[in-house]
Amino acid sequence: MPYLGSEDTVRDLNRALANPHVQSDQLRYRNVILKVIRLMSQGVDVSSLFSEMVKACATVDIVQKKLVYVFLCSYASLNPELSLLVINTLRKDCQDPNPMVRSLALRNMTNLRLPSLVEYVEQPLTAGLKDRAACVRRVAVLGWAKLHNLQPNSEIDAAVVNELYSLLRDTDPVVMVNCLRALEEILKEEGGVAINKPIAHHLLNRLKDCDVWGQSEVLKILQRYQPQSEDELFDILSMLDASLVSPHPPVMASTLGLFLSLCSTLPKVSLAALERVRGPLLAACGSASREIRFTALCHIQLLLRSVPGMMGAHYKRFFCGYAEPAFIKQRKMQVLVELVNDDNVAILLDELKEYCTDVNTDTAQAAISAVGRIGRSYSDRCLVILTGLLGLKQDNITSAVVQTMRDLVWVCPQCSETVCSSLEGCEEILQDSQGKQALLWLLGTYGDRVCSAPYTLEVFIDRVRCENSPAVKMELLTATLRLFLCRPAETQDMLGRLLHYAIDEETDMCVRDQALLYYRLLQCGVDETRKVLQGRRSDPSLGVLIGRPAEPVSHWAPIFNTLKPLWQSTSETDSVNSRSSQHTAFDPISDLSETLNSCHLQSVQTEGVTEHTPLPADAPSPSAIVPLSLLPTLTAGEFERLWLRGVEEEDGVCMTEHVRCCNVTQCSPQNFQAAMQLVNIQTLAFTPPHTLPWRVFLYTHTEAPSSSTLILGELLYTGKANEEAGDAQEDTIDGENANKTVVEGGIERRVRNEEKDSSGKRDSNELAKDNGQIEEVKEMRRHSKKKHAVLLLLLLAGGFYLVRYSHSFNTDPNRSEEPMNITWKAERMVSMESWVEQGDYLPLNVTYQLLAGIPVTQMRYLCIGLSSVKRKKDNYLIPTLVSLFSRSSPEERSSMVVVVLLADFDVNWLTTTVTKIKSEFSSALELGHLLVIHVPEENYPPTTGLKRNYNDSPARVSFRSKQNLDYAFLVHYSSGVGRYYLQLEDDVSSAKNFLTTVKKRVEEQEAKKTTWAMLEFSNLGYIGKLYKSAHLPLLARFLFLFYQEMPCDWLMSHFRVLLTQKEPILFKPSLFQHMGTFSSFQGNENKLKDKDFEEGVYSNPPAEVFSDMSTYGKHFPKLAWEAGEGFFWGRTPEKGNHLTVVFTDPRVVTGITVETGSEGKDILGSAQVEIGRSVITTANEEKSCKDFHKLGSMKNGWFVMQGVDKNYGSASSCLRIQVTAGQKDWVVISKIRIATKPSSPPQM
């Protein structure tokens, strides 16, 4: 047989196609054609068979037609003459009664793509547009687009375009979508398909009938339509609301793109739409498709530019999976950096630390870089991780760490000491050029702080002949010369050797030229060299505010749902930000009317003295508006480069304006930044709070009709003494636009403090001494821009005004600024051992009202705390109390106190509830087992107008904040009532004898001699959390201090960690179950249940457990009998095997439950349950019973029976599970539970 693909094979196929015997056998003929297609798909040239394949298309066999058409369309361009032979057959098939044949013929007629055949194709396509079969119309519509693409310069047939527009109302949605695509192609030069109101609303109404890609196409085209009224706009938005949360990512993305296009002038609606798509986007991040996951992550990064905290509560969704590809892991790490905050920084850094040692080098380096970016705000934590990674001594990790440290030190100079101390020994590990360059830069810049810097550089110099990278050699030259300037004695000899090699022996011209430059620079003198190589450094006390200001959605909306976010790196994204701009008009006169007069005098009051500074004559009128913008943004590096440069312009004029204002209250950098952003001034860097001098660097942009101005500024606060002084310096860069100014324009030199300006004004030190001036603004700009200087001063004064009163942004205006007095008015017992009264730590002014019960005079074992409020639907407080007392024995009730805080302020509800409690639990109240208290409303701090976080609504924030205060007061009251405190809700049911179980678990935990702060007896929220009484004062203070930060269960978890219990201690089975159906918050339905809860009907007595089945591992038989998570795991059971429980004392069994298997596996298929009496000892020295009575057989691995004592009333000593048929699977007996009652004493 000839080799597959050879000329002989093609020749044999040609003979077979021409053989009449083969042609007469339809099956053989089709197989030969199939072989031709197979060879074609493998890249074999079978074009010589074209004429025979043309003959083969004349058949009624649809399968054969499809195969032949595939061949003809592939080779038509090589055989244009022979292709004409196909047209007749195709035109004939276009009239076939079978619609599938008609559509197939039309599709392949347009796929031939031959200009010579256009005249033969137009008539069938025109007829196809009116065909009764939808599949034919679909092909005909797209055929016209292909025809236009084949002859793009031909005239557009208006009749065809009108017919396509009319087909937009076709009953078939695919025809409608294909019409849109065809019109887009045909009318491309005219702007695409025209969308008017009737077409737009028709497409919206038909949207639900289209498939996923059809909906995406329609939504994309609808972005061109602009509603004619606001009512129409919101009608359209309502129609699109369902698509906005579509489970299909393409539909969701297209809908959001349309939302952003329609709402470009409604930023609040755009932000609301972004909040709506959070769920679908998170779902897309978990898609099985890698491509969809990556696309969703890229678009989430876009959204975070406008809503930075949008995904904050869901940061764990962006943790990397082990099997995920590197490009997804790296993108997730970029998102995690955007989501870092004080609450999750520890968790995120721990997660990123794991990625730093990933087997994929790119992933590990990306993780290290992410840690470095977080280090700009949390430098101490990140430096610990980075220095720890250096200890691994791996080339790629060490290289990435050193590069990250270099970048971190550049932005945060305060980290330089830690970085310098960790560089020891890195030169022996580094192999790649990037890592070497980073190390050399650090040694050159901070060589005076690294003791071994000369010796490290000497190692590089000795190996310089073996170094292949010119970049490393150039960096080595710079580092050695910089080190020579600060440590000349140790570096002089090696610098000479390096320069000699670089000038005389080096072949790379760049290295040689740089060496010559340094050599000639040294000839000019050390001082000149130092000026060139050792410019001003950043102040090590500064800390950079990372994170860009929230962008308007309109900046990135045009690229949403396109490919651009997929290839855009982080730096490119920042570049796009810097090129886009939006200017917001700010009226200093109207917005700051309380601070500044609207005349041409600036009036500021200081210590009762009012001084007036006249404004320049050419100052604008008070009604002038200064457009300010935070964009384009400046990076810290760009700011520093511009700030440190000092190039004088020939036509520049310096002028100084002095402003006196009230004391500038020091505040947090976050408050200062927020205040300045209100007037569109961006804070870039700051010194840590409470350090002197306190400095802030800031910038803004102004936009005049003819030019754009970039303003750089520095605020200096020197501290408080008898008089306070400050200094604000302003540098201004003018040009036609901000970008050009930064790159090309000259920069005017700052006027220093000791200089005087041309108008004869005294320097700032004299003014501070004489007049107590606290602000000095120094302004440099061209003559034509003086009006900007005056208005900028007004803006800065307004900014200071906002800073001074910035505390009012987050507090109730009616709330006093003075700290509240600490008084204690409580009808409670305080244990001096557990409460340090002298500390005055809890800022409470609280009065407790005892509504029912008798104050406790003796500390009990357990205090149970409940807080209850009025609910809109149902009330579960009474059932909860019934459950607590009815499930406890008299001995248990005497050891506990239930404290109920009625935390609602509705007097009628309070009266009704107290009346019910008194009638239902009169004995518990009299015996001191139940207390009902209330805290009046005036004791509560504000619970409205609080800051929003976690995307909670204002109502939700008020509810959970009020709840935290309720629990703070409840815990505070309960601190001396019991040795232990158990936190419950007012809608729970308890297990039987729960207190006995709690005591047992506490004793077990205390026996371990380990520190614990909270024991958990339920999986749900803050139900079943046990604390020591000694910790309750701290918990009360903690809840009160952070009441508005987060929900109570989260606060309790943080409190546990603060008390050094890192991991939760959860006991199973749970002792408490949530029984409420409707939440206390707005009556929302809440059917949350604890799957590990057991009613406690069963109480296994003390017993021994024996089994003759082979035990696996440490899963002993007794674990199935004892409460907890343990289970018995036996290897393959055989007939006759058993598991026998022998009671310590005979018991009357009333109920039995046996559960086997785990997640549907290892079920005991055939077995019977028996009880017995008369304990004996077997030959294996195991205990059993002499007589057994069968109760029943197991079904599906379960056995449940109640009322056993009715049929077998005498006392039993044994319970046995006996296997009645062997099985290959192993067996898991997860639970054996019985209910018993003591046997009656013998009658005397």
Side-chain angles (χ1 to χ4, degrees):
M1 181 178 178
Y3 176 69
L4 181 65
S6 65
E7 294 180 1
D8 293 337
T9 303
V10 177
R11 202 162 26 249
D12 289 343
L13 288 174
N14 194 8
R15 283 196 295 266
L17 289 172
N19 190 334
H21 298 291
V22 175
Q23 294 175 0
S24 61
D25 188 340
Q26 189 65 38
L27 184 58
R28 287 181 61 191
Y29 197 33
R30 185 198 296 177
N31 288 336
V32 174
I33 296 173
L34 188 60
K35 290 180 182 179
V36 174
I37 301 301
R38 186 180 295 116
L39 285 178
M40 184 185 70
S41 65
Q42 293 173 353
V44 178
D45 183 10
V46 289
S47 58
S48 59
L49 304 178
F50 194 85
S51 59
E52 294 298 333
M53 294 294 284
V54 169
K55 300 175 185 178
C57 69
T59 179
V60 295
D61 186 359
I62 296 180
V63 176
Q64 182 175 321
K65 278 182 180 293
K66 289 183 179 180
L67 294 173
V68 174
Y69 287 157
V70 169
F71 177 91
L72 295 178
C73 292
S74 299
Y75 288 105
S77 59
L78 300 177
N79 300 275
E81 295 82 7
L82 292 176
S83 299
L84 289 172
L85 302 176
V86 188
I87 288 297
N88 289 332
T89 303
L90 291 174
R91 288 173 66 93
K92 181 180 178 181
D93 286 346
C94 287
Q95 299 174 2
D96 193 275
N98 188 342
M100 186 177 294
V101 176
R102 297 200 301 273
S103 63
L104 185 62
L106 269 180
R107 178 182 290 111
N108 289 280
M109 191 180 296
T110 55
N111 286 344
L112 291 175
R113 303 295 178 93
L114 294 175
S116 59
L117 303 181
V118 171
E119 57 181 315
Y120 303 102
V121 179
E122 289 181 347
Q123 189 276 329
L125 285 179
T126 303
L129 294 178
K130 300 177 181 180
D131 197 282
R132 63 183 181 276
C135 61
V136 180
R137 297 197 301 274
R138 297 175 185 177
V139 175
V141 168
L142 293 180
W144 278 108
K146 296 176 184 178
L147 212 60
H148 177 77
N149 185 262
L150 192 61
Q151 293 182 326
N153 297 325
S154 62
E155 293 184 5
I156 301 173
D157 190 346
V160 174
V161 174
N162 291 336
E163 185 65 27
L164 291 176
Y165 269 112
S166 65
L167 284 175
L168 287 176
R169 297 190 176 273
D170 194 278
T171 56
D172 185 71
V174 179
V175 174
M176 178 188 73
V177 175
N178 286 355
C179 283
L180 289 174
R181 293 168 176 159
L183 288 170
E184 281 287 289
E185 182 69 25
I186 295 172
L187 304 176
K188 184 186 300 183
E189 295 183 359
E190 300 179 11
V193 60
I195 303 295
N196 54 24
K197 183 175 181 179
I199 293 178
H201 285 264
H202 170 72
L203 294 176
L204 288 169
N205 291 325
R206 295 289 304 279
L207 192 63
K208 60 180 179 299
D209 299 329
C210 302
D211 60 7
V212 172
W213 297 112
Q215 292 182 52
S216 302
E217 190 77 21
V218 171
L219 291 167
K220 181 179 179 181
I221 291 176
L222 283 174
Q223 292 185 18
R224 300 180 193 156
Y225 179 67
Q226 291 299 325
Q228 300 173 5
S229 65
E230 187 172 314
D231 291 339
E232 183 188 359
L233 169 62
F234 283 100
D235 288 342
I236 293 176
L237 297 182
S238 299
M239 298 172 69
L240 294 172
D241 187 67
S243 299
L244 195 61
V245 291
S246 171
H248 304 291
V251 177
M252 176 272 298
S254 299
T255 307
L256 181 58
L258 179 55
F259 253 86
L260 300 182
S261 175
L262 294 174
C263 303
S264 57
T265 59
L266 300 172
K268 292 186 178 180
V269 178
S270 298
L271 293 177
L274 298 184
E275 293 290 342
R276 288 272 287 159
V277 300
R278 172 171 37 201
L281 276 175
L282 289 173
C285 289
S287 171
S289 169
R290 295 179 174 182
E291 292 76 12
I292 291 181
R293 272 184 284 166
F294 181 75
T295 304
L297 290 170
C298 295
H299 284 79
I300 283 175
Q301 285 185 284
L302 277 184
L303 269 62
L304 291 177
R305 286 158 58 174
S306 293
V307 193
M310 179 178 177
M311 300 291 179
H314 307 279
Y315 64 91
K316 291 187 178 180
R317 299 288 293 271
F318 301 100
F319 286 177
C320 300
Y322 176 78
E324 286 183 325
F327 63 90
I328 290 181
K329 290 183 179 180
Q330 293 167 23
R331 190 64 66 162
K332 281 188 173 182
M333 285 184 272
Q334 293 178 18
V335 175
L336 287 175
V337 172
E338 299 288 340
L339 301 181
V340 68
N341 56 45
D342 293 342
D343 296 329
N344 60 27
V345 61
I347 299 175
L348 290 183
L349 287 177
D350 288 343
E351 187 72 14
L352 289 172
K353 183 179 178 182
E354 298 296 325
Y355 306 153
C356 292
T357 54
D358 194 275
V359 293
N360 185 289
T361 304
D362 294 336
T363 301
Q365 292 178 349
I368 294 171
S369 176
V371 172
R373 289 175 61 194
I374 296 176
R376 300 180 182 184
S377 287
Y378 304 94
S379 55
D380 294 340
R381 300 179 184 222
C382 296
L383 285 173
V384 171
I385 295 176
L386 294 175
T387 52
L389 292 172
L390 289 176
L392 299 178
K393 298 187 182 301
Q394 295 185 17
D395 172 31
N396 64 304
I397 294 179
T398 302
S399 175
V401 170
V402 173
Q403 294 177 59
T404 302
M405 285 182 167
R406 174 198 60 193
D407 299 338
L408 185 59
V409 168
W410 178 263
V411 178
C412 304
Q414 70 270 18
C415 306
S416 56
E417 291 293 340
T418 305
V419 171
C420 292
S421 63
S422 61
L423 296 178
E424 189 76 30
C426 292
E427 70 279 0
E428 300 296 334
I429 304 170
L430 292 173
Q431 299 297 326
D432 69 310
S433 60
Q434 295 293 332
K436 292 178 182 179
Q437 291 178 63
L439 177 61
L440 290 172
W441 185 88
L442 288 170
L443 293 175
T445 306
Y446 298 100
D448 53 337
R449 307 182 191 179
V450 182
C451 298
S452 61
Y455 309 103
T456 304
L457 287 181
E458 190 169 18
V459 172
F460 281 98
I461 294 173
D462 293 341
R463 301 174 183 173
V464 68
R465 289 178 173 82
C466 303
E467 181 59 55
N468 297 322
S469 172
V472 173
K473 295 179 181 179
M474 296 169 70
E475 191 66 54
L476 179 60
L477 281 168
T478 304
T480 307
L481 186 54
R482 282 180 172 175
L483 191 61
F484 169 74
L485 296 176
C486 61
R487 302 171 71 170
E490 301 170 271
T491 320
Q492 180 177 359
D493 178 65
M494 65 179 72
L495 176 61
R497 288 190 285 119
L498 180 60
L499 290 175
H500 180 272
Y501 162 79
I503 295 173
D504 293 344
E505 302 180 34
E506 179 59 47
T507 58
D508 188 278
M509 287 299 100
C510 293
V511 178
R512 183 175 180 276
D513 289 348
Q514 184 169 333
L516 284 172
L517 171 66
Y518 288 162
Y519 179 75
R520 290 163 183 163
L521 190 61
L522 286 170
Q523 288 180 331
C524 297
V526 175
D527 293 338
E528 293 297 325
T529 305
R530 185 172 283 108
K531 290 180 181 179
V532 173
L533 290 182
Q534 291 186 343
R536 282 185 55 186
R537 296 181 183 175
S538 300
D539 191 335
S541 65
L542 286 179
V544 175
L545 288 172
I546 67 168
R548 46 183 173 263
E551 292 184 33
V553 177
S554 57
H555 284 185
W556 51 262
I559 66 171
F560 185 82
N561 198 25
T562 65
L563 292 177
K564 197 168 185 178
L566 274 62
W567 54 261
Q568 228 174 19
S569 65
T570 304
S571 59
E572 290 170 337
T573 303
D574 294 339
S575 176
V576 171
N577 296 341
S578 65
R579 289 194 296 269
S580 60
S581 63
Q582 174 171 332
H583 301 279
T584 304
F586 173 72
D587 186 350
I589 304 301
S590 61
D591 287 3
L592 301 174
S593 58
E594 296 181 3
T595 307
L596 305 173
N597 292 335
S598 59
C599 60
H600 287 266
L601 290 177
Q602 188 173 356
S603 178
V604 184
Q605 185 173 356
T606 304
E607 296 180 357
V609 180
T610 303
E611 301 186 12
H612 301 277
T613 303
L615 299 181
D618 59 347
S621 64
S623 60
I625 295 179
V626 182
L628 285 185
S629 173
L630 300 177
L631 299 171
T633 57
L634 282 183
T635 65
E638 292 173 342
F639 184 97
E640 185 173 24
R641 178 173 60 83
L642 296 174
W643 184 259
L644 296 182
R645 287 175 58 184
V647 182
E648 296 184 353
E649 293 185 349
E650 296 181 358
D651 58 346
V653 173
C654 298
M655 72 180 213
T656 303
E657 296 290 339
H658 301 283
V659 178
R660 298 185 186 91
C661 63
C662 55
N663 295 342
V664 179
T665 304
Q666 274 192 287
C667 61
S668 70
Q670 290 73 20
N671 286 347
F672 185 88
Q673 184 182 36
M676 298 305 284
Q677 282 184 349
L678 291 178
V679 291
N680 286 339
I681 298 177
Q682 176 63 37
T683 304
L684 187 74
F686 63 94
T687 54
H690 310 298
T691 59
L692 295 177
W694 184 63
R695 290 191 295 173
V696 179
F697 289 102
L698 41 84
Y699 71 89
T700 187
H701 297 267
T702 66
E703 183 70 18
S706 60
S707 64
S708 174
T709 304
L710 169 64
I711 301 171
L712 309 179
E714 178 187 16
L715 297 178
L716 177 63
Y717 178 70
T718 57
K720 294 182 180 179
N722 295 333
E723 297 174 345
E724 299 180 345
D727 183 19
Q729 299 174 339
E730 297 292 336
D731 283 2
T732 305
I733 307 169
D734 292 331
E736 294 182 359
N737 55 67
N739 290 336
K740 184 175 180 182
T741 301
V742 171
V743 178
E744 301 175 0
I747 303 171
E748 298 164 319
R749 185 182 300 277
R750 278 184 305 156
V751 179
R752 301 188 180 279
N753 292 345
E754 62 272 16
E755 297 176 345
K756 295 182 180 180
D757 64 1
S758 59
S759 63
K761 290 188 175 70
R762 291 173 294 171
D763 64 273
S764 60
N765 294 331
E766 295 177 5
L767 289 171
K769 292 178 182 178
D770 296 346
N771 302 323
Q773 175 184 335
I774 67 167
E775 304 294 337
E776 179 183 350
V777 180
K778 297 184 177 180
E779 175 73 24
M780 287 69 64
R781 58 182 64 253
R782 302 175 191 271
H783 288 290
S784 61
K785 308 300 181 192
K786 286 184 179 180
K787 59 182 181 180
H788 287 318
V790 178
L791 291 175
L792 180 65
L793 298 180
L794 298 179
L795 291 172
L796 287 176
F800 301 149
Y801 174 83
L802 292 171
V803 170
R804 177 170 179 79
Y805 297 103
S806 61
H807 63 274
S808 64
F809 299 157
N810 296 322
T811 58
D812 192 322
N814 298 324
R815 186 178 175 186
S816 173
E817 293 184 14
E818 298 298 326
M820 290 180 286
N821 295 326
I822 305 173
T823 60
W824 309 100
K825 301 176 183 177
E827 298 176 358
R828 63 180 180 89
M829 185 188 74
V830 177
S831 171
M832 296 303 296
E833 290 76 14
S834 64
W835 183 268
V836 186
E837 294 287 352
Q838 297 85 352
D840 283 349
Y841 295 122
L842 183 61
L844 292 176
N845 184 11
V846 56
T847 300
Y848 294 92
Q849 297 176 356
L850 186 63
L851 303 181
I854 301 174
V856 178
T857 57
Q858 184 178 3
M859 181 179 287
R860 308 288 177 87
Y861 180 83
L862 181 68
C863 174
I864 302 174
L866 301 173
S867 175
S868 184
V869 295
K870 181 181 179 181
R871 296 173 182 260
K872 292 186 177 180
K873 298 180 181 180
D874 294 344
N875 195 300
Y876 309 100
L877 176 59
I878 301 301
T880 298
L881 294 176
V882 170
S883 176
L884 288 174
F885 289 118
S886 63
R887 295 299 180 91
S888 303
S889 65
E891 295 80 8
E892 291 173 329
R893 288 196 290 270
S894 63
S895 301
M896 71 181 189
V897 178
V898 179
V899 179
V900 178
L901 172 65
L902 299 183
D904 203 280
F905 307 127
D906 187 329
V907 177
N908 293 331
W909 179 82
L910 287 174
T911 305
T912 304
T913 304
V914 171
T915 302
K916 289 182 180 178
I917 292 176
K918 288 181 177 180
S919 63
E920 294 281 345
F921 305 99
S922 57
S923 60
L925 292 170
E926 293 174 358
L927 295 173
H929 298 161
L930 177 62
L931 296 175
V932 182
I933 62 174
H934 175 67
V935 176
E937 185 175 5
E938 57 267 18
N939 293 279
Y940 283 77
T943 57
T944 57
L946 305 177
K947 64 179 180 181
R948 292 181 57 188
N949 49 18
Y950 306 109
N951 200 36
D952 284 345
S953 64
R956 179 69 183 176
V957 172
S958 297
F959 169 78
R960 61 175 170 81
S961 301
K962 164 70 165 52
Q963 196 174 50
N964 287 335
L965 294 171
D966 295 341
Y967 285 123
F969 294 145
L970 176 61
V971 167
H972 169 226
Y973 184 89
S974 305
S975 59
V977 178
R979 288 177 54 194
Y980 299 98
Y981 173 80
L982 182 67
Q983 178 68 58
L984 294 180
E985 293 187 31
D986 64 344
D987 55 353
V988 300
S989 60
S990 60
K992 187 177 181 181
N993 302 119
F994 66 90
L995 180 53
T996 301
T997 305
V998 169
K999 285 185 177 181
K1000 180 180 178 182
R1001 298 302 187 190
V1002 171
E1003 291 171 0
E1004 292 174 355
Q1005 196 63 35
E1006 295 291 353
K1008 294 179 180 179
K1009 304 296 183 181
T1010 57
T1011 303
W1012 63 272
M1014 181 173 71
L1015 304 182
E1016 301 182 36
F1017 294 93
S1018 174
N1019 267 323
L1020 305 180
Y1022 28 84
I1023 297 175
K1025 305 299 185 280
L1026 186 78
Y1027 296 91
K1028 298 177 182 178
S1029 180
H1031 294 162
L1032 294 185
L1034 297 175
L1035 178 58
R1037 302 166 196 155
F1038 185 78
L1039 293 176
F1040 190 89
L1041 182 61
F1042 301 104
Y1043 77 97
Q1044 61 175 317
E1045 298 297 332
M1046 61 185 67
C1048 188
D1049 50 342
W1050 293 7
L1051 284 175
M1052 288 179 170
S1053 297
H1054 283 290
F1055 180 76
R1056 166 179 57 77
V1057 175
L1058 289 173
L1059 293 189
T1060 70
Q1061 181 188 329
K1062 295 184 178 180
E1063 300 297 330
I1065 303 174
L1066 175 64
F1067 296 105
K1068 295 182 180 180
S1070 299
L1071 299 181
F1072 304 96
Q1073 178 65 283
H1074 182 266
M1075 68 175 177
T1077 305
F1078 298 100
S1079 169
S1080 55
F1081 175 61
Q1082 297 182 348
N1084 297 332
E1085 188 172 357
N1086 182 6
K1087 296 183 179 180
L1088 194 62
K1089 295 295 180 184
D1090 191 336
K1091 60 183 179 60
D1092 296 318
F1093 175 72
E1094 291 186 3
E1095 284 287 345
V1097 176
Y1098 302 103
S1099 54
N1100 291 355
E1104 297 178 81
V1105 185
F1106 306 94
S1107 177
D1108 59 352
M1109 286 181 278
S1110 177
T1111 303
Y1112 173 74
K1114 297 183 179 181
H1115 299 281
F1116 300 115
K1118 192 173 181 63
L1119 296 177
W1121 178 255
E1122 295 177 342
E1125 302 180 35
F1127 55 89
F1128 167 62
W1129 199 356
R1131 292 184 171 88
T1132 308
E1134 299 177 355
K1135 182 178 180 180
N1137 286 151
H1138 68 89
L1139 184 146
T1140 304
V1141 181
V1142 181
F1143 308 145
T1144 303
D1145 298 313
R1147 310 285 290 188
V1148 176
V1149 179
T1150 59
I1152 300 175
T1153 295
V1154 179
E1155 179 182 344
T1156 69
S1158 175
E1159 298 181 355
K1161 300 178 180 179
D1162 295 340
I1163 294 173
L1164 183 56
S1166 300
Q1168 62 186 26
V1169 179
E1170 306 167 336
I1171 57 175
R1173 56 185 179 181
S1174 302
V1175 178
I1176 61 173
T1177 303
T1178 64
N1180 297 330
E1181 296 185 356
E1182 295 181 352
K1183 293 182 180 180
S1184 183
C1185 280
K1186 183 177 181 181
D1187 300 319
F1188 282 96
H1189 174 75
K1190 178 181 176 182
L1191 298 178
S1193 300
M1194 300 186 64
K1195 294 181 180 180
N1196 299 322
W1198 281 77
F1199 179 85
V1200 179
M1201 177 179 285
Q1202 299 294 339
V1204 178
D1205 54 327
K1206 295 180 181 179
N1207 299 322
Y1208 195 80
S1210 59
S1212 302
S1213 299
C1214 298
L1215 171 67
R1216 183 169 72 179
I1217 304 171
Q1218 187 163 21
V1219 180
T1220 56
Q1223 62 185 49
K1224 295 182 180 180
D1225 295 335
W1226 290 13
V1227 62
V1228 169
I1229 302 180
S1230 55
K1231 183 188 300 183
I1232 304 175
R1233 299 289 183 266
I1234 69 170
T1236 64
K1237 60 183 180 180
S1239 60
S1240 301
Q1243 298 294 330
M1244 299 299 294

